[in-house]
Amino acid sequence: MNIADIRAFVAAAETGSVNRAAIRLNLTQPATTRRIQNFEAAIGDDPLFDRSVKPAALTALGNHVLEHCRRVLTAVAELEACATRAADPAGELRIGIAHGLGEMVLTTPLDALRRTFPRIRLQVGSNWSTALIEDIRNGALDCAVGLLTDAHAVPAGLLRISLGAEQVVIVSASRSASRRDGSPWRLRDLAGESWFLNPPGCGCRAALVRSFDRQQLPIQVGAEIFGEDLQLSLLSHSGGLGLVPRRQFEQSPHRHGLNILDVLDFVMPATVTLIRNAIPGRFDPAIELLTSALKTKLDPGSNRT
């Protein structure tokens, strides 16, 4: 039994397939399969995977062994981090950023990261928050910055670090913030209106649709437009309704002529969150600097004493 074989078993168990485990480990599928087989042989005769189902699932023993293996890898990673933490980390740091957060969040924090750790090469990609969480889990990313709501689940083994509170709001070009009598809007008042929304896959869009469905109200998607900034631009010219993080709306050059609606039965609190693996690694100093810089960017008073 060796660490490489343990890593292969854990990767297969967490990703659900040998193919995805091989991608995480940067190995060929046959090499990954051999490592898993070596580990199973070292454990004994009882199977760790039930291969009678597709995809193969962990047996009760497999789940028990998995927890022990995670503790072993955590201990090894902590030992490696202890030995290398003082060194200047080098290599490719893979960062994911939720759609709509890039310019708002990462501009100055990434500059600070590059200045402090010049030997790190940054690879930055964008996706929906749900997909970013999965990419952290399967090892495709080292860390990610997502916009998380109560509907987002973060699996065991990952850390979620709150960077700043956010609220997703409904925006209109044709309606005032509240009704003429000063009372708030309700979703039923907006039924049948034309919405400019992100394509399917956006967690905020899904939450909005669920809110309409719970009240058995129709929702009319007038256009699927990728990116809140473009949505705000089009809303300001043609009317309709949109859904956008409040911080992004307040920083948008298109906010003039648009109103945030006070909708009594629709509240979507969210948190800008950094997600990373709980196991320590060689990029920890860089990720910690990024976390601190992001907190300062999102809440300038957070470092006040």
Side-chain angles (χ1 to χ4, degrees):
M1 185 183 306
N2 61 52
I3 296 299
D5 294 345
I6 292 175
R7 285 197 175 104
F9 165 70
V10 171
E14 291 183 343
T15 62
S17 79
V18 175
N19 282 338
R20 288 193 289 270
I23 292 172
R24 176 195 283 196
L25 299 168
N26 197 27
L27 295 172
T28 64
Q29 182 178 340
T32 304
T33 299
R34 283 194 300 273
R35 290 187 178 183
I36 296 169
Q37 290 171 341
N38 290 341
F39 180 74
E40 289 184 289
I43 288 294
D45 296 331
D46 293 330
L48 302 180
F49 290 98
D50 179 1
R51 293 181 171 85
S52 66
V53 297
K54 299 294 182 182
L58 286 172
T59 62
L61 175 62
N63 277 300
H64 182 67
V65 169
L66 175 62
E67 293 309 310
H68 282 281
C69 288
R70 282 172 170 158
R71 289 199 288 271
V72 169
L73 293 182
T74 298
V76 170
E78 289 173 346
L79 179 61
E80 292 173 342
C82 179
T84 62
R85 187 176 179 82
D88 184 19
E92 187 173 78
L93 176 60
R94 301 162 301 172
I95 302 173
I97 176 72
H99 295 313
L101 293 185
E103 185 173 351
M104 179 176 71
V105 172
L106 284 182
T107 310
T108 51
L110 284 187
D111 288 342
L113 190 63
R114 293 175 62 193
R115 286 194 306 269
T116 307
F117 300 101
R119 298 204 304 146
I120 285 180
R121 299 188 309 277
L122 297 179
Q123 183 185 88
V124 182
S126 186
N127 210 330
W128 305 119
S129 294
T130 300
L132 294 176
I133 293 170
E134 176 60 22
D135 285 342
I136 296 292
R137 191 183 71 85
N138 65 31
L141 291 173
D142 297 299
C143 66
V145 181
L147 184 65
L148 303 192
T149 66
D150 292 340
H152 289 96
V154 177
L158 301 187
L159 293 179
R160 54 188 298 170
I161 303 168
S162 175
L163 303 174
E166 186 56 90
Q167 184 180 9
V168 180
V169 295
I170 294 174
V171 176
S172 173
S174 56
R175 294 176 180 265
S176 59
S178 58
R179 297 194 291 186
R180 290 184 179 180
D181 60 2
S183 63
W185 298 99
R186 294 180 179 271
L187 285 180
R188 65 170 178 263
D189 300 320
L190 308 179
E193 291 278 348
S194 182
W195 289 80
F196 290 177
L197 297 174
N198 282 320
C202 172
C204 295
R205 169 183 168 151
L208 176 70
V209 172
R210 285 194 299 270
S211 296
F212 271 86
D213 288 345
R214 280 194 294 268
Q215 299 190 36
Q216 299 181 327
L217 296 171
I219 181 169
Q220 178 182 329
V221 180
E224 293 180 345
I225 302 167
F226 187 84
E228 288 84 356
D229 194 57
L230 181 55
Q231 292 167 22
L232 291 173
S233 174
L234 294 175
L235 280 173
S236 66
H237 288 90
S238 61
L241 298 174
L243 194 65
V244 63
R246 178 183 287 270
R247 194 188 311 267
Q248 187 172 1
F249 173 80
E250 291 173 348
Q251 296 178 1
S252 172
H254 309 296
R255 67 187 182 279
H256 305 291
L258 299 175
N259 293 308
I260 294 176
L261 299 190
D262 178 16
V263 182
L264 184 64
D265 50 355
F266 179 79
V267 179
M268 191 188 298
T271 305
V272 181
T273 305
L274 185 135
I275 308 109
R276 54 157 296 172
N277 201 296
I279 298 175
R282 62 192 173 105
F283 289 120
D284 281 2
I287 294 175
E288 289 167 5
L289 173 66
L290 178 62
T291 301
S292 177
L294 286 168
K295 285 183 176 180
T296 301
K297 176 74 178 288
L298 292 169
D299 183 6
S302 61
N303 291 329
R304 292 175 186 166
T305 58

